[in-house]
Amino acid sequence: MTADTSADTGTSADTRPTDRQDERLTQATGLGGAARAQLDRLRAGDLGVVPVIGGLVLIAVVLQLLNPVFLSSTNLVNLLLESVPVGMIALGIVVVLLVGQIDLSVGSVSGLSAATLAVLFVDQGQPALVALLAAVLSGTVIGLFYGFVFTRFGIPSFVISLAGLLGFLGLQLYVLRGIGSINLPFDSQLVYFAQLAFLPAWLSYVLVAAVAAGLLLTGLSRSRERRAAGLSGASTTFVVVRSVLVLVVAGAAVAYLNTARGLGWMVVLFVALVLVMHYVLTRTKYGTYLFAVGGNVEAARRAGIDVRRVYVGAFVTCSTLAALGGVLAASRLAAANQSTGTGDVNLNAIAAAVIGGTSLFGGRGTAFAALLGILVIQSISSGLTLLNLDSSFRFMVTGAVLLLAVGVDSVARASRASHGRG
Amino acid sequence: MTAPATAGPEPAAPGTPGDVVLDLRGISKSFGAVAALTDVDLDVRRGEVVAVVGDNGAGKSTLVKVLSGVHAADTGEISFEGRRVRITSPADARALGIATVFQDLALCENLNVIQNLFLGSELRGLRLDEVQMEVRSWQLLRQLSAKIPTVHVPVAALSGGQRQTVAIARSLLGDPKVVILDEPTAALGVAQTAEVLNLVDRLRENGHGVVMISHNMEDVQAVADRVAVLRLGRNNGTFDVGSTSVEEVIAAITGATDNAVTRRRVRSREPRPTDPPVPTEETR
């Protein structure tokens, strides 16, 4: 289906949609057209999330062959719950990476937030909500501080957050001084939420159906709006098939999880935040500004964007999500101690964002990178634990996967450049 | 002012001489001890392309910056559509209707054409009106007869000429009266240069006043109606392109009629085999 080249663009009455009139465009219409366009994109190196999903499938197959427990519903339920705290942190890292900066201190910030929560809630006897808000706000304040130092003094974010990595680890130890470890009571809402709160089966199906229906309705109304404005819209078949696909795949996954404990509320919270972040990044002015600043700061500034506010916003989002991740980690563990947020938390969060396809150089990435990346990392961790391999192997394998993921991205970038897809 | 030949702001524009939109009188701008602009005059009419040419350091860039509000002039008057105005910031210039396309274009390569066109002036911030923005993008591009196949690709995928097109289209978003192009063809190949020059023509047809900074005399000859020459920060004559030879303009740029460039032009224009003693090998 190529364009009829006889049409003289612009002069004759062209019945094709406004954005499809150039004779150099292949006229991809309908379901086949959508599939073909997607294939072209892949071939040109615009891989998007395809390598991560491929990698995830590969990892799952290998680990399942090595230990049949890996894909059991019980293990997957746990795997998903385990993914959430660091995944939350990775979601913030995606935002900071988008503006071309880095935050190396997310682990310390999450640890400090966990310690703050535990001290306020257990030691001081504050209500859970107050402790939670204070802990999360501590992250917000840290983000504001980073943003201020970065935009005011122009210190590289690498250095600022390296200082923060040390400083806030110290603060965490100071908050916990003389205590070492604080256990959160098992009957508290926080621990219940992170360990025991699962959706009833019927509600999980309703949720999946709602998401699919939402996708269908927004998809249809969008293509109707586009057609009304004389642009090409996605074909109805394509929109319907896409929604049905989501319904079937997500429905099957949830049904499988429901054979064990089911879908945790914490997982729902994480996925919901990923979706909200996706909306912000792709459908709002602020999201465009994040990409613009990451792509070309000077151009963004000249376009009248308040670049400082964009930077500050990115740092605040990242630190706040890191603090939220710390709260969830403490709740999941039912304890906060001196090692919460230390060790591999930092690097796993950053690795997750990068494995998921976020560029370290700014301007490229999606919210789903955090979700998919942390699933890769957590799958490796869970699989190797099942194989009775200790963390030495986990570090080595995760390191190799990170290198592989960035390698795939670099090759894809070269291909993108030669195919002119930036 | 050392005004040669046809200097002065007489209404020499051929074809459709519109009213004067932008009028600069006696603009001066110093940076410390360096007088970048001294007593410079320039006027632009509707539907007219005025080329500003000059050697390196002649003050072209400073003039652009004064017009676009990056630098405020020290002294002098600026009138816009007959009113005295002050331009002290880029926002002032934009509000008046003076749009500037800088040489580096200032596009975000990772964003697509629509996002670049509307960067900083998106429609509906919390739920971007992508449909309206795309429709408007196509209108702008069609208005320029731009050859961009799709607006959904990142700008990195476009050629130099197409990027220039996007940058110019973006400047038209605020419906400006005057468009200033800073070296629009400097980094472009032959075909792309032609594309951009067509664009300049299109701007003129649409009734914009265009100020085109250029180094390239061929481009100037191709699209400009008048040429304003700057030399060492001063006006050095305004020429009507239709009735002026390149040599005269170059003479005004360099400040001398007798130099290597003009000599070669003269030689190549009149290749007379009848005077062998002309020292052609003298330069070796």
Side-chain angles (χ1 to χ4, degrees), chain A residues 88-156:
Chain A
M88 207 62 100
I89 303 175
L91 190 58
I93 290 287
V94 168
V95 176
V96 164
L97 287 181
L98 274 183
V99 295
Q101 301 301 325
I102 185 82
D103 187 342
L104 297 173
S105 70
V106 282
S108 296
V109 172
S110 77
L112 175 64
S113 148
T116 309
L117 174 86
V119 167
L120 285 178
F121 182 48
V122 180
D123 270 19
Q124 317 258 330
Q126 300 286 340
L129 194 65
V130 172
L132 176 85
L133 283 179
V136 173
L137 281 180
S138 71
T140 311
V141 171
I142 291 170
L144 280 172
F145 172 70
Y146 284 175
F148 174 76
V149 174
F150 179 76
T151 55
R152 215 27 80 97
F153 303 111
I155 303 173

Side-chain angles (χ1 to χ4, degrees), chain A residues 173-186:
Chain A
L173 298 182
Y174 180 79
V175 169
L176 290 172
R177 71 190 177 288
I179 308 175
S181 177
I182 301 177
N183 291 327
L184 301 181
F186 267 96

